[in-house]
Amino acid sequence: MSSPVIELDHVSKRYPNGFVALERVCLSFYPGEIHALLGENGAGKSTLMNILYGVHEPTEGGVLMNGRQVVHRRPADAIANGIGMVHQHFKLVAPFTVAENLALVARGERKKIFRRNADIRSFMQGYGVELDPDAIVGMLPLALQQRVEILKALVNDTKVLLLDEPSTILTPSEIQGLYATVRRICEKGTAVAVVTHNVDEVLANADRYTILRRGKTNGTGLTEGCTPDELVEKIVGRVVASGTRLGRQRLAGEKQMRLNAVNLRPSSGSPGLHAVSLMLCEREVIGVAGVEGNGQTELFELLAGQRQPDSGAITRSGPDVTVALVPQDRHHEGLSLDLPVSHNLLYPKIMQGGYRRLGLLNHAAIAERAREMISESDIRTHSHGSLARSLSGGNQQKIVVARAMAESASIIVVYQPTRGLDMAAAEAVLTRLADAADSGTSVIIISSNIEELLRVSDRIVVMNGGRITGEVTGDDMSFEKIGTLMTSGRGVQSTAAGAEHV
Ligand code: ADP
């Protein structure tokens, strides 16, 4: 085996607030290998990547490149040493072209390659990527924008490429495409480190894995011969019984809201909605399955009251029927990242004038309620006063869900509740939703993850091309049946009128 290109040597990281995110971590990355980093939210994966990239410096221990100690005080130092990183949130200049985005980061001699489109094309083709250099980056689909980010990280003769949760935003077929590109990158001798939550993805694509648990390594090795169960156990420290149903068998109660033959006109990038009828009842979880982009966003916006239908009707069964939301994009819609966890948890109430005394915020009352919610929802945060930004993605999502629960609304509408979460956090979020339904709430979960819908839903409707193309319930709720409805039957008459429940 070749020698490692980069190593962590007993690296510890203590944040200024005293939190120890990494403890004496030793890890080696080899040229030409895909090395997956796995671990629960908060395990320290991003901290580790950020240390390699010079965003953070280790408190103890060091980083070696080709056996020699290096000090990365800032990303520029890491880039100069041949390290590239793709963050979860892209740093592209959206109005610029692909060529301009690449040229922007080229340094020294490398600038020459990024002057002519023909040279840029051949640079991209070297990694199997066919993209028009003149395409405006902001107009590209997310998966291709990500490809541009990856290429950008390779512009300066990169020896180590760091990818922070690249698959979270992708569909299964896009994930395959991503790894095809990553493999080409490895073939040129680059070492690639990938953070992901998906064990199957790791076993299918990575050469090596390392598991972080609470800031320490909890297993590392070659993926060959590994089983999913082995990895899962090392990640969560216990065996998760997947596939078991969450919550009780429920008998749906009174109807809360009804969508009757609702239409939204199609527009660019939207299939619209066509004759969508759906009944939302007390004590019921409705799953909405579908390949993304088949009307789910539009349905969410209608249920949220953010849009009105072009025709058809949405009726609530009474004036006291309220709706709480768990939006898909928690960074933009769900959280104020620069406010404390406590304010994020209590946001609507604080805005409506609650938690005040003599006109001023009652910080003691806010802290007390926030602490209760943090404990109920097992939100891993240093304190209720920490900024939401400092929490891992799973814990941020737990805030959004806890807040929606605290509204005690009649209906909770949830969009992709577990996307990007590790197994334990996903389990916690789904369990809270099932509990809400058990105690009478109408829960509607829009998700492209069929397995999670099967575990928690009482019935599942399938969306395709802006229509509800089928509904399954009871013994009919199988992966195969839903998968078939998702990918075929466009334009099939709805069997999910929901009217049967009226
Ligand atoms: P992961 O990427 O595995 O989800 P992170 O490396 O983001 O984990 O976080 C590890 C732990 O360190 C988390 O508990 C997180 O709350 C904490 N943390 C991350 N960044 C900071 C920071 N700037 N200050 C204090 N604590 C932090």
Side-chain angles (χ1 to χ4, degrees), residues 23-24 35 107 113 128 238-239 261 275 279 284 313 351 362 385 429 432 448 450 458:
E23 222 179 311
R24 298 181 70 75
H35 190 145
R107 293 153 51 98
I113 303 176
R238 64 191 154 84
V239 181
M279 183 70 74
E284 186 182 38
M351 286 299 284
N362 182 347
V429 166
R432 292 226 67 193
S448 44
I450 304 179
D458 299 296

Side-chain angles (χ1 to χ4, degrees), residues 15 17 19 21 40-47 390-392:
Y15 281 111
N17 65 3
F19 189 86
E40 288 190 279
N41 291 316
K45 306 178 296 294
S46 301
T47 303
S390 72
L391 270 63
S392 63

Side-chain angles (χ1 to χ4, degrees), residues 128-145:
V129 178
E130 296 285 346
L131 264 176
D132 176 4
D134 291 327
I136 301 291
V137 157
M139 309 285 275
L140 294 172
L142 225 44
L144 292 183
Q145 290 189 19

Side-chain angles (χ1 to χ4, degrees), residues 346-379:
L346 301 169
Y347 174 77
K349 293 206 176 90
I350 290 176
M351 286 299 284
Q352 290 152 14
Y355 293 98
R356 272 163 218 267
R357 244 176 75 198
L358 307 173
L360 299 174
L361 284 182
N362 182 347
H363 290 290
I366 290 175
E368 189 185 338
R369 181 65 191 122
R371 278 198 209 97
E372 280 168 20
M373 290 171 78
I374 286 167
S375 138
E376 277 160 22
S377 296
D378 189 23
I379 297 167

Side-chain angles (χ1 to χ4, degrees), residues 136-181:
I136 301 291
V137 157
M139 309 285 275
L140 294 172
L142 225 44
L144 292 183
Q145 290 189 19
Q146 183 184 61
R147 220 53 65 83
V148 178
E149 270 286 16
I150 293 175
L151 291 168
K152 227 177 80 188
L154 297 169
V155 161
N156 295 306
D157 202 13
T158 303
K159 298 179 185 74
V160 180
L161 176 66
L162 311 171
L163 303 174
D164 195 3
E165 296 195 31
S167 59
T168 307
I169 54 157
L170 303 179
T171 62
S173 66
E174 288 170 345
I175 293 174
Q176 278 187 352
L178 165 71
Y179 279 101
T181 305

